[in-house]
Amino acid sequence: MSSQKSRTRYKLVPPIALPTMGWMLWFLMIPMGIVLIYSLVMKGIYGGIVWQMTFENYERAFDWLYLKIFLQSLKLALLTAISCLLIGYPMAYVIATANQKYRSALLILLIIPFWTNFVVRTYALKVLFSEQGPLNAAAMALGFFSEPISFSNSYGMVWIGMVTNYLPYMVLPLYVSIEKFDFSLLEAGRDLGASSWNNFWKVLVPLTKPGIITGFILVFTPALGEFLIPDLLGGARSMLMGNLITEQFLKMRDWPFGSALSIILMSIVLISLVIVIRVWMKEEQTKVEAEAAHGH
Amino acid sequence: MATEHRARPSPPFFASLVTAGTFLLLYIPLFVLVTYSFVQTDLDGNSSFTWNWYYEAVADSSLQQALWMSLMVGVWSTLGATLLGTTAALALERTDFPGKKIFDALTLVPLIVPEIVMALSLLIWFVILKISLGGISIVLAHITFSFSYVIITVRTRLADFDHSLEEAARDLGATPWKTFWKVTFPLIWPGILSGALMAFTLSFDDFLITFFTAGVGSDTLPVKLYSMIKFGISPKINALSTLILLATALLVLMIFRPKRSMKTISKESGETSVPDALKALG
């Protein structure tokens, strides 16, 4: 890179980096370190702690009662990310291939709900699917069923909420990837006799993989720790990790247990990220090797 | 971009169908909310048009207070995040120092850490530091989760423009300070602005971190809205939500004005907004 030349070298740290470094240390690193410490001490009364080391909080977290909640959260986050990918890819493709005029209109249509307050969007879904809501009214008027059905208080409702809320996080990076894609490659593929499926699977998908990975991470990570959607749409029966942790902190005042739970959440996120990136790197590696074997 | 003028294939029919269906799914709930905000139902079940819920929402002093809180928190945290983000971006793009790679990687931490973990770690920290939960703790928390976004937008801008301009200014005898204000700053200004805008939006929208770090009586608008919803569905909430929706739509249309955005979407180096917002995501 030519930019290398004009960079000023510092033996220590440039003063201009100091404010942010200090801030990150003081409000990010130390607080997270403290969560780790809190997860290893005993609970005192009224949200206090007792300075005595214990693994009790972690042992308690592996009780089947809580393990079930972890698995449920993991399942729902995965399901959300996959649903978003399946819906988001065709959408991103449509937007990226639309002519310029429609393209910006479609992007704006996508960005408006994305920028709309999260609480408002979730509340809108709650109203739509409520027992006195328009969906029930319409279905009854059309004679689908005679009694209003309760959609809320179910994992299905939480899934709908998560997919509609997180979809733009998937579509936007996918759009960026597909937008950059050189479509003449598809023509070349077709000329060489590739079926549309092969063209899609072997040309378009591999070349838009950065978008897929980014989108997946951007949906999966927040979905795993989601609090608001299950809280407003799922009701008491569909508790997820985010709700469990919030409850420990704001209601039960058991900060050490809540800290242990959030350390576990962080670990799941990190492990998933590593797996996703590893799988991706491995494929890149085999591709490079294959190319090398072909004498490129 | 080179591929821009080449013909693009038309998407398969099912893809268009999925897109249309999903847009419906995204907009129907919002449409219902807006409609409900104008409907009044009397005891006999007859519905009629009304502005009442809007009067009630606007006259509610606790909502006014929450809006004011949101705006103040938004302004102060945007200032802080923009300052931190811009200086960090300059350090990362224009200097070399030992440990820079680690610093670079750490600036991404706020983007990866689950919101709830950041929320509770800050809550514990504020309690330990005896910072009372309220406006100040919320601002500190908001700066912490938003400065990374500013770093990304400003860096993109810094990486894009011609370095030789800065070098030329230096060669002509300008001090680093003067070079920054006369050359660098005017060029990265759009990046700073869109970073600041992003920080403000993030702050104004945030629910969870504010929920954890707000004390009694320091609710921002989203937190206030949440507690109203928990209390029960009321038409006043519909009116308030519609107002928020309207403000959002206006803001988006203002920033991504069709004429401008067409240009910016097609050219990476173009103005700001859409590509920068997208880059911040990708």
Side-chain angles (χ1 to χ4, degrees), chain B residues 10-133:
Chain B
S10 52
F13 178 68
F14 88 91
S16 310
L17 204 68
V18 168
T19 309
T22 310
F23 273 124
L24 277 180
L25 196 69
L26 286 177
Y27 277 91
I28 286 177
L30 302 179
F31 178 76
V32 165
L33 207 61
V34 174
T35 314
Y36 272 32
S37 73
F38 292 109
V39 175
Q40 190 168 34
T41 311
D42 60 22
L43 290 171
D44 301 326
N46 299 317
S47 302
S48 57
F49 178 87
T50 182
W51 284 103
N52 272 353
W53 314 127
Y54 286 89
Y55 293 135
E56 276 188 27
V58 173
D60 187 327
S61 66
S62 70
L63 282 179
Q64 290 168 0
Q65 223 171 8
L67 175 67
W68 181 244
M69 193 63 167
S70 275
L71 289 173
M72 287 322 279
V73 167
V75 166
W76 287 109
S77 65
T78 301
L79 269 174
T82 310
L83 212 65
L84 287 181
T86 307
T87 49
L90 282 166
L92 286 167
E93 279 296 318
R94 291 292 186 267
T95 65
D96 271 323
F97 54 93
K100 191 176 114 174
K101 277 207 174 123
I102 299 170
F103 178 51
D104 194 357
L106 286 179
T107 59
L108 296 176
V109 168
L111 307 178
I112 300 168
V113 176
E115 226 189 332
I116 192 160
V117 176
M118 200 190 275
L120 61 90
S121 70
L122 284 167
L123 169 65
I124 297 179
W125 191 224
F126 291 148
V127 168
I128 290 176
L129 291 180
K130 298 201 167 62
I131 296 176
S132 65
L133 301 178

Side-chain angles (χ1 to χ4, degrees), chain A residues 25-249:
Chain A
L25 183 73
W26 193 245
F27 288 113
L28 210 62
M29 301 303 149
I30 295 181
M32 293 216 282
I34 288 176
V35 173
L36 185 63
I37 296 173
Y38 261 55
S39 77
L40 291 168
V41 297
M42 287 202 332
K43 173 197 169 193
I45 39 166
Y46 303 121
I49 52 157
V50 178
W51 285 109
Q52 194 181 345
M53 200 176 139
T54 174
F55 286 105
E56 209 177 85
N57 302 307
Y58 287 97
E59 279 165 28
R60 212 178 127 200
F62 283 98
D63 188 294
W64 181 237
L65 181 71
Y66 302 116
L67 222 49
K68 253 194 331 209
I69 297 177
F70 297 166
L71 290 176
Q72 194 66 43
S73 309
L74 202 59
K75 204 171 88 184
L76 208 56
L78 266 177
L79 195 65
T80 302
I82 292 168
S83 314
C84 283
L85 182 61
L86 291 180
I87 301 169
Y89 205 95
M91 275 184 93
Y93 188 84
V94 169
I95 299 175
T97 53
N99 71 39
Q100 297 233 338
K101 214 202 242 162
Y102 289 122
R103 207 186 306 168
S104 26
L106 287 173
L107 276 177
I108 288 173
L109 271 180
L110 189 72
I111 289 170
I112 289 176
F114 182 51
W115 274 34
T116 303
N117 190 280
F118 187 43
V119 186
V120 171
R121 277 182 286 159
T122 311
Y123 171 67
L125 278 175
K126 191 183 174 71
V127 171
L128 179 67
F129 284 96
S130 69
E131 269 176 64
Q132 302 82 26
L135 207 68
N136 262 313
M140 284 203 299
L142 292 171
F144 284 136
F145 34 81
S146 51
E147 293 267 300
I149 323 182
S150 172
F151 294 100
S152 57
N153 302 334
S154 70
Y155 284 113
M157 198 58 227
V158 179
W159 172 73
I160 294 179
M162 296 243 232
V163 172
T164 47
N165 267 306
Y166 289 124
L167 192 65
Y169 288 100
M170 181 63 87
V171 179
L172 292 176
L174 281 175
Y175 164 78
V176 173
S177 271
I178 300 178
E179 218 277 326
K180 278 190 218 143
F181 178 74
D182 181 358
F183 282 93
S184 60
L185 289 174
L186 289 184
E187 265 169 61
R190 214 172 304 126
D191 291 345
L192 292 169
S195 64
S196 1
W197 172 253
N198 269 344
N199 236 350
F200 168 72
W201 195 244
K202 301 225 164 120
V203 182
L204 188 63
V205 168
L207 285 172
T208 51
K209 206 167 239 170
I212 298 177
I213 305 267
T214 311
F216 199 89
I217 292 172
L218 286 180
V219 174
F220 179 78
T221 313
L224 198 60
E226 181 56 51
F227 163 78
L228 189 72
I229 297 173
D231 187 71
L232 287 183
L233 300 177
R237 266 179 296 154
S238 21
M239 193 183 244
L240 295 181
M241 274 185 98
N243 310 75
L244 182 63
I245 293 173
T246 307
E247 198 183 71
Q248 294 307 319
F249 267 86

Side-chain angles (χ1 to χ4, degrees), chain B residues 160-257:
Chain B
D160 273 355
F161 85 78
D162 195 355
H163 275 259
S164 53
L165 290 171
E166 282 169 334
E167 275 166 34
R170 293 274 186 90
D171 290 347
L172 291 170
T175 58
W177 184 249
K178 206 168 178 188
T179 311
F180 175 75
W181 284 112
K182 295 276 173 184
V183 181
T184 317
F185 184 75
L187 282 165
I188 60 170
W189 172 241
I192 297 178
L193 203 65
S194 67
L197 201 69
M198 193 128 184
F200 185 83
T201 321
L202 285 168
S203 160
F204 201 79
D205 264 0
D206 180 72
F207 166 72
L208 196 60
I209 290 177
T210 315
F211 187 56
F212 269 78
T213 52
V216 181
S218 58
D219 287 352
T220 59
L221 208 51
V223 175
K224 180 78 198 158
L225 192 63
Y226 169 80
S227 49
M228 283 171 81
I229 296 169
K230 283 303 252 189
F231 199 68
I233 292 182
S234 103
K236 196 161 74 175
I237 309 177
N238 298 338
L240 177 65
S241 302
T242 305
L243 290 176
I244 296 178
L245 196 63
L246 195 71
T248 314
L250 281 178
L251 190 70
V252 172
L253 288 175
M254 230 163 58
I255 299 165
F256 306 120
R257 268 187 315 232

